[in-house]
mmCIF file of all heavy atoms in Angstrom:
data_model
loop_
_atom_site.group_PDB
_atom_site.id
_atom_site.type_symbol
_atom_site.label_atom_id
_atom_site.label_comp_id
_atom_site.label_asym_id
_atom_site.label_seq_id
_atom_site.Cartn_x
_atom_site.Cartn_y
_atom_site.Cartn_z
ATOM 1 N N TRP A 42 79.917 74.959 33.249
ATOM 2 C CA TRP A 42 81.149 75.647 32.863
ATOM 3 C C TRP A 42 81.202 77.035 33.494
ATOM 4 O O TRP A 42 82.235 77.464 34.003
ATOM 5 C CB TRP A 42 81.250 75.748 31.342
ATOM 6 C CG TRP A 42 82.479 76.457 30.872
ATOM 7 C CD1 TRP A 42 82.581 77.778 30.484
ATOM 8 C CD2 TRP A 42 83.802 75.909 30.751
ATOM 9 N NE1 TRP A 42 83.877 78.078 30.133
ATOM 10 C CE2 TRP A 42 84.642 76.950 30.283
ATOM 11 C CE3 TRP A 42 84.350 74.650 30.988
ATOM 12 C CZ2 TRP A 42 86.009 76.759 30.051
ATOM 13 C CZ3 TRP A 42 85.707 74.463 30.760
ATOM 14 C CH2 TRP A 42 86.518 75.503 30.297
ATOM 15 N N ASP A 43 80.073 77.722 33.483
ATOM 16 C CA ASP A 43 80.026 79.046 34.103
ATOM 17 C C ASP A 43 80.281 78.953 35.605
ATOM 18 O O ASP A 43 80.984 79.785 36.183
ATOM 19 C CB ASP A 43 78.669 79.707 33.843
ATOM 20 C CG ASP A 43 78.617 81.146 34.318
ATOM 21 O OD1 ASP A 43 79.384 81.975 33.790
ATOM 22 O OD2 ASP A 43 77.821 81.443 35.227
ATOM 23 N N VAL A 44 79.728 77.924 36.232
ATOM 24 C CA VAL A 44 79.900 77.738 37.676
ATOM 25 C C VAL A 44 81.375 77.570 38.043
ATOM 26 O O VAL A 44 81.833 78.084 39.067
ATOM 27 C CB VAL A 44 79.096 76.513 38.165
ATOM 28 C CG1 VAL A 44 79.445 76.178 39.606
ATOM 29 C CG2 VAL A 44 77.603 76.762 38.041
ATOM 30 N N VAL A 45 82.129 76.866 37.195
ATOM 31 C CA VAL A 45 83.520 76.541 37.552
ATOM 32 C C VAL A 45 84.547 77.482 36.933
ATOM 33 O O VAL A 45 85.754 77.289 37.130
ATOM 34 C CB VAL A 45 83.852 75.078 37.192
ATOM 35 C CG1 VAL A 45 82.924 74.120 37.910
ATOM 36 C CG2 VAL A 45 83.800 74.835 35.682
ATOM 37 N N THR A 46 84.087 78.514 36.185
ATOM 38 C CA THR A 46 85.038 79.456 35.587
ATOM 39 C C THR A 46 84.700 80.917 35.866
ATOM 40 O O THR A 46 85.541 81.792 35.630
ATOM 41 C CB THR A 46 85.119 79.267 34.056
ATOM 42 O OG1 THR A 46 83.819 79.479 33.478
ATOM 43 C CG2 THR A 46 85.611 77.863 33.700
ATOM 44 N N ASN A 47 83.508 81.198 36.344
ATOM 45 C CA ASN A 47 83.087 82.572 36.638
ATOM 46 C C ASN A 47 83.504 82.921 38.069
ATOM 47 O O ASN A 47 83.033 82.281 39.020
ATOM 48 C CB ASN A 47 81.564 82.675 36.475
ATOM 49 C CG ASN A 47 81.032 84.067 36.727
ATOM 50 O OD1 ASN A 47 81.567 84.830 37.536
ATOM 51 N ND2 ASN A 47 79.947 84.405 36.044
ATOM 52 N N PRO A 48 84.371 83.915 38.272
ATOM 53 C CA PRO A 48 84.851 84.232 39.623
ATOM 54 C C PRO A 48 83.742 84.487 40.633
ATOM 55 O O PRO A 48 83.847 84.076 41.791
ATOM 56 C CB PRO A 48 85.700 85.490 39.407
ATOM 57 C CG PRO A 48 86.155 85.403 37.992
ATOM 58 C CD PRO A 48 85.006 84.774 37.246
ATOM 59 N N ASP A 49 82.662 85.153 40.198
ATOM 60 C CA ASP A 49 81.558 85.439 41.118
ATOM 61 C C ASP A 49 80.898 84.148 41.601
ATOM 62 O O ASP A 49 80.527 84.038 42.782
ATOM 63 C CB ASP A 49 80.511 86.337 40.444
ATOM 64 C CG ASP A 49 81.037 87.738 40.193
ATOM 65 O OD1 ASP A 49 81.979 88.149 40.907
ATOM 66 O OD2 ASP A 49 80.518 88.419 39.289
ATOM 67 N N ARG A 50 80.758 83.183 40.711
ATOM 68 C CA ARG A 50 80.117 81.929 41.096
ATOM 69 C C ARG A 50 81.083 81.008 41.837
ATOM 70 O O ARG A 50 80.681 80.295 42.756
ATOM 71 C CB ARG A 50 79.517 81.240 39.869
ATOM 72 C CG ARG A 50 78.392 82.053 39.234
ATOM 73 C CD ARG A 50 77.668 81.289 38.168
ATOM 74 N NE ARG A 50 76.759 80.293 38.729
ATOM 75 C CZ ARG A 50 75.967 79.508 37.980
ATOM 76 N NH1 ARG A 50 75.997 79.608 36.651
ATOM 77 N NH2 ARG A 50 75.161 78.627 38.549
ATOM 78 N N ILE A 51 82.352 81.016 41.458
ATOM 79 C CA ILE A 51 83.339 80.203 42.182
ATOM 80 C C ILE A 51 83.356 80.583 43.659
ATOM 81 O O ILE A 51 83.430 79.724 44.545
ATOM 82 C CB ILE A 51 84.738 80.365 41.564
ATOM 83 C CG1 ILE A 51 84.773 79.745 40.163
ATOM 84 C CG2 ILE A 51 85.807 79.715 42.453
ATOM 85 C CD1 ILE A 51 86.058 80.019 39.397
ATOM 86 N N ALA A 52 83.264 81.880 43.937
ATOM 87 C CA ALA A 52 83.277 82.353 45.331
ATOM 88 C C ALA A 52 82.076 81.879 46.114
ATOM 89 O O ALA A 52 82.115 81.819 47.348
ATOM 90 C CB ALA A 52 83.339 83.882 45.343
ATOM 91 N N ARG A 53 81.000 81.505 45.423
ATOM 92 C CA ARG A 53 79.779 81.071 46.113
ATOM 93 C C ARG A 53 79.807 79.597 46.505
ATOM 94 O O ARG A 53 79.014 79.166 47.339
ATOM 95 C CB ARG A 53 78.546 81.354 45.241
ATOM 96 C CG ARG A 53 78.208 82.835 45.154
ATOM 97 C CD ARG A 53 76.998 83.091 44.270
ATOM 98 N NE ARG A 53 76.580 84.481 44.365
ATOM 99 C CZ ARG A 53 75.672 84.928 45.227
ATOM 100 N NH1 ARG A 53 75.086 84.093 46.059
ATOM 101 N NH2 ARG A 53 75.345 86.205 45.245
ATOM 102 N N TRP A 54 80.706 78.818 45.918
ATOM 103 C CA TRP A 54 80.739 77.397 46.281
ATOM 104 C C TRP A 54 82.128 76.904 46.701
ATOM 105 O O TRP A 54 82.249 75.851 47.322
ATOM 106 C CB TRP A 54 80.227 76.529 45.127
ATOM 107 C CG TRP A 54 81.054 76.546 43.876
ATOM 108 C CD1 TRP A 54 80.930 77.397 42.817
ATOM 109 C CD2 TRP A 54 82.124 75.652 43.528
ATOM 110 N NE1 TRP A 54 81.860 77.105 41.842
ATOM 111 C CE2 TRP A 54 82.604 76.028 42.246
ATOM 112 C CE3 TRP A 54 82.717 74.567 44.176
ATOM 113 C CZ2 TRP A 54 83.644 75.370 41.614
ATOM 114 C CZ3 TRP A 54 83.763 73.897 43.547
ATOM 115 C CH2 TRP A 54 84.211 74.298 42.278
ATOM 116 N N PHE A 55 83.179 77.683 46.381
ATOM 117 C CA PHE A 55 84.530 77.228 46.700
ATOM 118 C C PHE A 55 85.221 78.244 47.601
ATOM 119 O O PHE A 55 85.213 78.120 48.810
ATOM 120 C CB PHE A 55 85.307 76.996 45.398
ATOM 121 C CG PHE A 55 86.556 76.174 45.576
ATOM 122 C CD1 PHE A 55 86.545 75.014 46.319
ATOM 123 C CD2 PHE A 55 87.745 76.559 44.960
ATOM 124 C CE1 PHE A 55 87.696 74.241 46.484
ATOM 125 C CE2 PHE A 55 88.899 75.805 45.098
ATOM 126 C CZ PHE A 55 88.870 74.650 45.866
ATOM 127 N N MET A 56 85.805 79.266 47.024
ATOM 128 C CA MET A 56 86.411 80.360 47.784
ATOM 129 C C MET A 56 86.680 81.517 46.828
ATOM 130 O O MET A 56 86.709 81.326 45.610
ATOM 131 C CB MET A 56 87.693 79.903 48.498
ATOM 132 C CG MET A 56 88.794 79.441 47.601
ATOM 133 S SD MET A 56 90.222 78.776 48.523
ATOM 134 C CE MET A 56 89.587 77.152 49.014
ATOM 135 N N PRO A 57 86.872 82.728 47.358
ATOM 136 C CA PRO A 57 87.139 83.871 46.478
ATOM 137 C C PRO A 57 88.388 83.648 45.639
ATOM 138 O O PRO A 57 89.371 83.065 46.099
ATOM 139 C CB PRO A 57 87.331 85.028 47.469
ATOM 140 C CG PRO A 57 86.567 84.608 48.686
ATOM 141 C CD PRO A 57 86.746 83.120 48.773
ATOM 142 N N ILE A 58 88.327 84.135 44.398
ATOM 143 C CA ILE A 58 89.434 83.936 43.466
ATOM 144 C C ILE A 58 89.675 85.223 42.689
ATOM 145 O O ILE A 58 88.735 85.954 42.357
ATOM 146 C CB ILE A 58 89.130 82.753 42.514
ATOM 147 C CG1 ILE A 58 90.336 82.426 41.634
ATOM 148 C CG2 ILE A 58 87.892 83.025 41.675
ATOM 149 C CD1 ILE A 58 90.186 81.128 40.838
ATOM 150 N N GLU A 59 90.936 85.495 42.412
ATOM 151 C CA GLU A 59 91.317 86.668 41.629
ATOM 152 C C GLU A 59 92.256 86.232 40.507
ATOM 153 O O GLU A 59 92.837 85.149 40.555
ATOM 154 C CB GLU A 59 92.030 87.699 42.509
ATOM 155 C CG GLU A 59 91.158 88.265 43.621
ATOM 156 C CD GLU A 59 91.928 89.263 44.480
ATOM 157 O OE1 GLU A 59 93.181 89.243 44.448
ATOM 158 O OE2 GLU A 59 91.276 90.062 45.173
ATOM 159 N N GLY A 60 92.406 87.097 39.513
ATOM 160 C CA GLY A 60 93.340 86.832 38.433
ATOM 161 C C GLY A 60 92.672 86.741 37.089
ATOM 162 O O GLY A 60 91.492 87.061 36.929
ATOM 163 N N GLU A 61 93.440 86.286 36.111
ATOM 164 C CA GLU A 61 92.940 86.125 34.752
ATOM 165 C C GLU A 61 92.606 84.655 34.520
ATOM 166 O O GLU A 61 93.506 83.824 34.359
ATOM 167 C CB GLU A 61 93.992 86.585 33.744
ATOM 168 C CG GLU A 61 94.286 88.075 33.782
ATOM 169 C CD GLU A 61 95.242 88.472 32.673
ATOM 170 O OE1 GLU A 61 96.417 88.057 32.736
ATOM 171 O OE2 GLU A 61 94.800 89.199 31.767
ATOM 172 N N LEU A 62 91.326 84.356 34.510
ATOM 173 C CA LEU A 62 90.901 82.967 34.344
ATOM 174 C C LEU A 62 90.770 82.637 32.863
ATOM 175 O O LEU A 62 89.685 82.442 32.324
ATOM 176 C CB LEU A 62 89.586 82.733 35.098
ATOM 177 C CG LEU A 62 89.613 83.058 36.592
ATOM 178 C CD1 LEU A 62 88.320 82.620 37.257
ATOM 179 C CD2 LEU A 62 90.813 82.413 37.271
ATOM 180 N N LYS A 63 91.925 82.575 32.215
ATOM 181 C CA LYS A 63 92.004 82.221 30.809
ATOM 182 C C LYS A 63 93.340 81.544 30.575
ATOM 183 O O LYS A 63 94.235 81.599 31.426
ATOM 184 C CB LYS A 63 91.886 83.467 29.935
ATOM 185 C CG LYS A 63 92.998 84.479 30.134
ATOM 186 C CD LYS A 63 92.809 85.697 29.237
ATOM 187 C CE LYS A 63 93.961 86.689 29.391
ATOM 188 N NZ LYS A 63 93.788 87.870 28.513
ATOM 189 N N GLU A 64 93.482 80.881 29.434
ATOM 190 C CA GLU A 64 94.725 80.164 29.149
ATOM 191 C C GLU A 64 95.917 81.107 29.221
ATOM 192 O O GLU A 64 95.924 82.176 28.603
ATOM 193 C CB GLU A 64 94.646 79.511 27.770
ATOM 194 C CG GLU A 64 95.813 78.586 27.487
ATOM 195 C CD GLU A 64 95.581 77.707 26.275
ATOM 196 O OE1 GLU A 64 94.404 77.539 25.873
ATOM 197 O OE2 GLU A 64 96.583 77.187 25.747
ATOM 198 N N GLY A 65 96.906 80.730 30.020
ATOM 199 C CA GLY A 65 98.077 81.557 30.226
ATOM 200 C C GLY A 65 97.950 82.532 31.376
ATOM 201 O O GLY A 65 98.939 83.150 31.783
ATOM 202 N N GLY A 66 96.743 82.680 31.913
ATOM 203 C CA GLY A 66 96.515 83.616 33.004
ATOM 204 C C GLY A 66 96.880 83.028 34.358
ATOM 205 O O GLY A 66 96.921 81.812 34.548
ATOM 206 N N HIS A 67 97.139 83.906 35.304
ATOM 207 C CA HIS A 67 97.463 83.482 36.663
ATOM 208 C C HIS A 67 96.262 83.714 37.560
ATOM 209 O O HIS A 67 95.578 84.739 37.441
ATOM 210 C CB HIS A 67 98.667 84.259 37.200
ATOM 211 C CG HIS A 67 99.062 83.856 38.595
ATOM 212 N ND1 HIS A 67 99.820 82.730 38.853
ATOM 213 C CD2 HIS A 67 98.775 84.408 39.807
ATOM 214 C CE1 HIS A 67 99.986 82.612 40.164
ATOM 215 N NE2 HIS A 67 99.372 83.622 40.754
ATOM 216 N N TYR A 68 96.001 82.770 38.461
ATOM 217 C CA TYR A 68 94.890 82.905 39.409
ATOM 218 C C TYR A 68 95.419 82.785 40.829
ATOM 219 O O TYR A 68 96.496 82.242 41.073
ATOM 220 C CB TYR A 68 93.827 81.826 39.162
ATOM 221 C CG TYR A 68 94.264 80.441 39.598
ATOM 222 C CD1 TYR A 68 93.989 79.970 40.885
ATOM 223 C CD2 TYR A 68 94.992 79.610 38.747
ATOM 224 C CE1 TYR A 68 94.412 78.720 41.300
ATOM 225 C CE2 TYR A 68 95.420 78.364 39.152
ATOM 226 C CZ TYR A 68 95.134 77.922 40.436
ATOM 227 O OH TYR A 68 95.566 76.680 40.853
ATOM 228 N N GLN A 69 94.631 83.284 41.784
ATOM 229 C CA GLN A 69 94.979 83.149 43.200
ATOM 230 C C GLN A 69 93.702 82.989 44.004
ATOM 231 O O GLN A 69 92.829 83.841 43.971
ATOM 232 C CB GLN A 69 95.749 84.372 43.701
ATOM 233 C CG GLN A 69 96.147 84.297 45.172
ATOM 234 C CD GLN A 69 97.094 83.134 45.451
ATOM 235 O OE1 GLN A 69 98.143 83.020 44.826
ATOM 236 N NE2 GLN A 69 96.722 82.261 46.389
ATOM 237 N N LEU A 70 93.591 81.886 44.721
ATOM 238 C CA LEU A 70 92.486 81.669 45.652
ATOM 239 C C LEU A 70 92.853 82.317 46.975
ATOM 240 O O LEU A 70 93.969 82.148 47.470
ATOM 241 C CB LEU A 70 92.234 80.173 45.844
ATOM 242 C CG LEU A 70 91.696 79.441 44.605
ATOM 243 C CD1 LEU A 70 91.957 77.952 44.707
ATOM 244 C CD2 LEU A 70 90.203 79.715 44.437
ATOM 245 N N THR A 71 91.927 83.054 47.556
ATOM 246 C CA THR A 71 92.212 83.782 48.786
ATOM 247 C C THR A 71 92.635 82.833 49.907
ATOM 248 O O THR A 71 91.903 81.924 50.282
ATOM 249 C CB THR A 71 90.972 84.575 49.237
ATOM 250 O OG1 THR A 71 90.620 85.491 48.195
ATOM 251 C CG2 THR A 71 91.256 85.349 50.513
ATOM 252 N N GLY A 72 93.863 83.045 50.414
ATOM 253 C CA GLY A 72 94.356 82.240 51.516
ATOM 254 C C GLY A 72 94.667 80.807 51.158
ATOM 255 O O GLY A 72 94.851 79.956 52.045
ATOM 256 N N ASN A 73 94.768 80.506 49.863
ATOM 257 C CA ASN A 73 94.982 79.116 49.466
ATOM 258 C C ASN A 73 95.903 79.084 48.248
ATOM 259 O O ASN A 73 96.822 79.879 48.152
ATOM 260 C CB ASN A 73 93.631 78.441 49.205
ATOM 261 C CG ASN A 73 93.678 76.936 49.377
ATOM 262 O OD1 ASN A 73 94.212 76.223 48.541
ATOM 263 N ND2 ASN A 73 93.117 76.445 50.487
ATOM 264 N N ALA A 74 95.666 78.169 47.349
ATOM 265 C CA ALA A 74 96.564 77.952 46.214
ATOM 266 C C ALA A 74 96.408 79.021 45.136
ATOM 267 O O ALA A 74 95.386 79.702 45.036
ATOM 268 C CB ALA A 74 96.318 76.574 45.618
ATOM 269 N N GLY A 75 97.437 79.125 44.329
ATOM 270 C CA GLY A 75 97.415 79.926 43.112
ATOM 271 C C GLY A 75 98.038 79.105 42.012
ATOM 272 O O GLY A 75 98.411 77.951 42.208
ATOM 273 N N GLY A 76 98.174 79.703 40.833
ATOM 274 C CA GLY A 76 98.799 78.962 39.753
ATOM 275 C C GLY A 76 98.532 79.594 38.410
ATOM 276 O O GLY A 76 98.061 80.728 38.318
ATOM 277 N N THR A 77 98.821 78.834 37.357
ATOM 278 C CA THR A 77 98.665 79.296 35.987
ATOM 279 C C THR A 77 97.740 78.361 35.230
ATOM 280 O O THR A 77 97.866 77.133 35.329
ATOM 281 C CB THR A 77 100.030 79.342 35.266
ATOM 282 O OG1 THR A 77 100.894 80.240 35.973
ATOM 283 C CG2 THR A 77 99.885 79.817 33.838
ATOM 284 N N VAL A 78 96.796 78.926 34.496
ATOM 285 C CA VAL A 78 95.913 78.137 33.638
ATOM 286 C C VAL A 78 96.724 77.715 32.415
ATOM 287 O O VAL A 78 97.152 78.557 31.620
ATOM 288 C CB VAL A 78 94.677 78.950 33.206
ATOM 289 C CG1 VAL A 78 93.775 78.100 32.308
ATOM 290 C CG2 VAL A 78 93.906 79.443 34.428
ATOM 291 N N THR A 79 96.970 76.432 32.266
ATOM 292 C CA THR A 79 97.866 75.948 31.218
ATOM 293 C C THR A 79 97.144 75.564 29.928
ATOM 294 O O THR A 79 97.754 75.549 28.863
ATOM 295 C CB THR A 79 98.666 74.739 31.718
ATOM 296 O OG1 THR A 79 97.753 73.726 32.197
ATOM 297 C CG2 THR A 79 99.592 75.157 32.860
ATOM 298 N N SER A 80 95.853 75.254 30.015
ATOM 299 C CA SER A 80 95.073 74.956 28.809
ATOM 300 C C SER A 80 93.597 75.129 29.115
ATOM 301 O O SER A 80 93.165 75.033 30.265
ATOM 302 C CB SER A 80 95.349 73.534 28.287
ATOM 303 O OG SER A 80 94.935 72.567 29.230
ATOM 304 N N CYS A 81 92.823 75.390 28.055
ATOM 305 C CA CYS A 81 91.385 75.624 28.242
ATOM 306 C C CYS A 81 90.659 75.275 26.952
ATOM 307 O O CYS A 81 91.014 75.769 25.881
ATOM 308 C CB CYS A 81 91.139 77.086 28.624
ATOM 309 S SG CYS A 81 89.400 77.503 28.870
ATOM 310 N N GLU A 82 89.641 74.422 27.054
ATOM 311 C CA GLU A 82 88.807 74.040 25.919
ATOM 312 C C GLU A 82 87.348 74.196 26.340
ATOM 313 O O GLU A 82 86.710 73.258 26.807
ATOM 314 C CB GLU A 82 89.105 72.594 25.495
ATOM 315 C CG GLU A 82 90.534 72.364 25.045
ATOM 316 C CD GLU A 82 90.834 70.899 24.791
ATOM 317 O OE1 GLU A 82 89.871 70.099 24.662
ATOM 318 O OE2 GLU A 82 92.020 70.530 24.739
ATOM 319 N N LYS A 83 86.830 75.399 26.222
ATOM 320 C CA LYS A 83 85.455 75.704 26.620
ATOM 321 C C LYS A 83 84.470 74.919 25.777
ATOM 322 O O LYS A 83 84.627 74.865 24.553
ATOM 323 C CB LYS A 83 85.215 77.208 26.449
ATOM 324 C CG LYS A 83 83.832 77.669 26.853
ATOM 325 C CD LYS A 83 83.656 79.167 26.607
ATOM 326 C CE LYS A 83 82.274 79.624 27.014
ATOM 327 N NZ LYS A 83 82.070 81.077 26.793
ATOM 328 N N PRO A 84 83.450 74.287 26.363
ATOM 329 C CA PRO A 84 83.120 74.190 27.789
ATOM 330 C C PRO A 84 83.463 72.822 28.364
ATOM 331 O O PRO A 84 82.748 72.327 29.240
ATOM 332 C CB PRO A 84 81.602 74.396 27.744
ATOM 333 C CG PRO A 84 81.184 73.629 26.501
ATOM 334 C CD PRO A 84 82.330 73.808 25.519
ATOM 335 N N HIS A 85 84.519 72.201 27.875
ATOM 336 C CA HIS A 85 84.782 70.805 28.218
ATOM 337 C C HIS A 85 85.882 70.583 29.260
ATOM 338 O O HIS A 85 85.774 69.662 30.064
ATOM 339 C CB HIS A 85 85.123 70.024 26.953
ATOM 340 C CG HIS A 85 84.030 70.028 25.940
ATOM 341 N ND1 HIS A 85 82.854 69.334 26.105
ATOM 342 C CD2 HIS A 85 83.916 70.675 24.745
ATOM 343 C CE1 HIS A 85 82.064 69.525 25.064
ATOM 344 N NE2 HIS A 85 82.680 70.336 24.237
ATOM 345 N N ARG A 86 86.925 71.391 29.238
ATOM 346 C CA ARG A 86 88.015 71.110 30.173
ATOM 347 C C ARG A 86 88.926 72.314 30.331
ATOM 348 O O ARG A 86 88.995 73.173 29.446
ATOM 349 C CB ARG A 86 88.861 69.917 29.705
ATOM 350 C CG ARG A 86 89.559 70.140 28.386
ATOM 351 C CD ARG A 86 90.549 69.042 28.039
ATOM 352 N NE ARG A 86 91.705 69.050 28.906
ATOM 353 C CZ ARG A 86 92.750 69.867 28.750
ATOM 354 N NH1 ARG A 86 92.784 70.752 27.765
ATOM 355 N NH2 ARG A 86 93.770 69.808 29.572
ATOM 356 N N TYR A 87 89.604 72.356 31.468
ATOM 357 C CA TYR A 87 90.738 73.265 31.634
ATOM 358 C C TYR A 87 91.737 72.607 32.569
ATOM 359 O O TYR A 87 91.388 71.732 33.373
ATOM 360 C CB TYR A 87 90.315 74.652 32.137
ATOM 361 C CG TYR A 87 89.733 74.716 33.526
ATOM 362 C CD1 TYR A 87 90.549 74.741 34.660
ATOM 363 C CD2 TYR A 87 88.357 74.793 33.717
ATOM 364 C CE1 TYR A 87 90.013 74.820 35.931
ATOM 365 C CE2 TYR A 87 87.807 74.871 34.983
ATOM 366 C CZ TYR A 87 88.636 74.887 36.081
ATOM 367 O OH TYR A 87 88.098 74.966 37.339
ATOM 368 N N ALA A 88 92.986 73.035 32.460
ATOM 369 C CA ALA A 88 94.058 72.498 33.301
ATOM 370 C C ALA A 88 94.852 73.668 33.861
ATOM 371 O O ALA A 88 94.924 74.746 33.256
ATOM 372 C CB ALA A 88 94.968 71.574 32.493
ATOM 373 N N ALA A 89 95.432 73.459 35.024
ATOM 374 C CA ALA A 89 96.181 74.532 35.681
ATOM 375 C C ALA A 89 97.191 73.940 36.646
ATOM 376 O O ALA A 89 97.059 72.798 37.101
ATOM 377 C CB ALA A 89 95.229 75.462 36.436
ATOM 378 N N THR A 90 98.206 74.729 36.965
ATOM 379 C CA THR A 90 99.084 74.341 38.064
ATOM 380 C C THR A 90 98.375 74.699 39.372
ATOM 381 O O THR A 90 97.534 75.594 39.420
ATOM 382 C CB THR A 90 100.433 75.075 37.996
ATOM 383 O OG1 THR A 90 100.211 76.496 38.076
ATOM 384 C CG2 THR A 90 101.169 74.740 36.712
ATOM 385 N N TRP A 91 98.728 73.967 40.419
ATOM 386 C CA TRP A 91 98.170 74.179 41.754
ATOM 387 C C TRP A 91 99.372 74.393 42.675
ATOM 388 O O TRP A 91 100.063 73.440 43.019
ATOM 389 C CB TRP A 91 97.337 72.970 42.169
ATOM 390 C CG TRP A 91 96.631 73.078 43.485
ATOM 391 C CD1 TRP A 91 97.076 72.618 44.694
ATOM 392 C CD2 TRP A 91 95.351 73.656 43.728
ATOM 393 N NE1 TRP A 91 96.149 72.880 45.681
ATOM 394 C CE2 TRP A 91 95.068 73.523 45.118
ATOM 395 C CE3 TRP A 91 94.396 74.283 42.916
ATOM 396 C CZ2 TRP A 91 93.892 73.984 45.705
ATOM 397 C CZ3 TRP A 91 93.230 74.735 43.506
ATOM 398 C CH2 TRP A 91 92.986 74.584 44.878
ATOM 399 N N GLU A 92 99.630 75.654 43.007
ATOM 400 C CA GLU A 92 100.853 76.010 43.727
ATOM 401 C C GLU A 92 100.503 76.480 45.127
ATOM 402 O O GLU A 92 99.804 77.477 45.312
ATOM 403 C CB GLU A 92 101.597 77.101 42.949
ATOM 404 C CG GLU A 92 101.927 76.672 41.520
ATOM 405 C CD GLU A 92 102.506 77.777 40.671
ATOM 406 O OE1 GLU A 92 103.151 78.681 41.250
ATOM 407 O OE2 GLU A 92 102.310 77.747 39.430
ATOM 408 N N PHE A 93 101.012 75.728 46.129
ATOM 409 C CA PHE A 93 100.663 76.011 47.523
ATOM 410 C C PHE A 93 101.795 75.543 48.426
ATOM 411 O O PHE A 93 102.309 74.437 48.264
ATOM 412 C CB PHE A 93 99.354 75.303 47.894
ATOM 413 C CG PHE A 93 98.872 75.588 49.288
ATOM 414 C CD1 PHE A 93 98.356 76.836 49.624
ATOM 415 C CD2 PHE A 93 98.927 74.614 50.269
ATOM 416 C CE1 PHE A 93 97.907 77.110 50.900
ATOM 417 C CE2 PHE A 93 98.483 74.870 51.554
ATOM 418 C CZ PHE A 93 97.971 76.130 51.873
ATOM 419 N N ALA A 94 102.173 76.387 49.384
ATOM 420 C CA ALA A 94 103.207 76.049 50.375
ATOM 421 C C ALA A 94 104.497 75.557 49.714
ATOM 422 O O ALA A 94 105.065 74.523 50.094
ATOM 423 C CB ALA A 94 102.676 75.006 51.359
ATOM 424 N N ASP A 95 104.926 76.277 48.679
ATOM 425 C CA ASP A 95 106.176 75.967 47.965
ATOM 426 C C ASP A 95 106.140 74.633 47.233
ATOM 427 O O ASP A 95 107.190 74.093 46.867
ATOM 428 C CB ASP A 95 107.375 75.994 48.926
ATOM 429 C CG ASP A 95 107.592 77.364 49.548
ATOM 430 O OD1 ASP A 95 107.382 78.374 48.847
ATOM 431 O OD2 ASP A 95 107.956 77.417 50.746
#
Side-chain angles (χ1 to χ4, degrees):
W42 179 262
D43 187 63
V44 171
V45 301
T46 59
N47 181 328
D49 291 336
R50 296 189 76 178
I51 292 172
R53 288 179 172 268
W54 65 270
F55 196 46
M56 62 185 76
I58 186 170
E59 297 179 341
E61 294 185 292
L62 303 187
K63 62 180 183 180
E64 188 167 341
H67 181 80
Y68 73 91
Q69 180 62 55
L70 293 159
T71 301
N73 205 286
T77 300
V78 180
T79 55
S80 64
C81 180
E82 299 173 16
K83 181 182 180 180
H85 300 289
R86 63 171 291 279
Y87 66 82
T90 60
W91 184 265
E92 303 173 29
F93 183 71
D95 298 323

